Amino acid sequence: MASTSVSRIVPVSPEKVWSLIGGFDALLDWLPYIPESTPLEGGRVRRLKNPEGEVIVERLVDFNETERHYSYAILQAPFPVNGYVSTLRVHTVPGQENAAEVQWSGRFTAEGAGEDEVVDLFTGIYRDGLDALHQTLTA
């Protein structure tokens, strides 16, 4: 099983970051890669479309409001992976009340592509997503 993780410090309090990204169906608010999101099953599943119109279906598998993190599994996607589970987490930065570290990580098995290629794919998605989050929070 492969994994990757990307972190980014943003100049905003952890509470403010979590209020933006903590909702499972909140991707439209900060992630330009996802122009369409439909909550299903009472919000436990989200049906996403990327700019190419490809469908991505994800299920919420863990949520912790107090610790500011959630995890989700991909049920359907155009990505060459199996067993994908990802976590989006907001950490405090010691001594900096107006800063937060946002970490996006995932683990998966490459399927139909090389492991390094799939790790690079998700590292890029996470990095670009956290860059977009930073831009949204500082606009």
Side-chain angles (χ1 to χ4, degrees), residues 80-124:
V81 294
N82 190 13
Y84 176 99
V85 176
S86 183
T87 300
L88 193 58
R89 184 181 300 271
V90 179
H91 299 282
T92 59
V93 176
Q96 298 183 47
E97 65 184 47
N98 287 315
E101 179 185 7
V102 183
Q103 179 185 34
W104 198 349
S105 61
R107 63 184 190 280
F108 41 82
T109 301
E111 188 173 272
E115 187 172 283
D116 289 344
E117 179 183 346
V118 179
V119 167
D120 289 347
L121 169 71
F122 284 106
T123 300

Side-chain angles (χ1 to χ4, degrees), residues 10 18 31 37 56 61 63 70 73 76 88-89 102 108 115 123:
V10 294
W18 185 248
L31 190 62
S37 177
I56 304 162
V61 295
F63 182 87
Y70 70 80
Q76 172 190 338
L88 193 58
R89 184 181 300 271
V102 183
F108 41 82
E115 187 172 283
T123 300

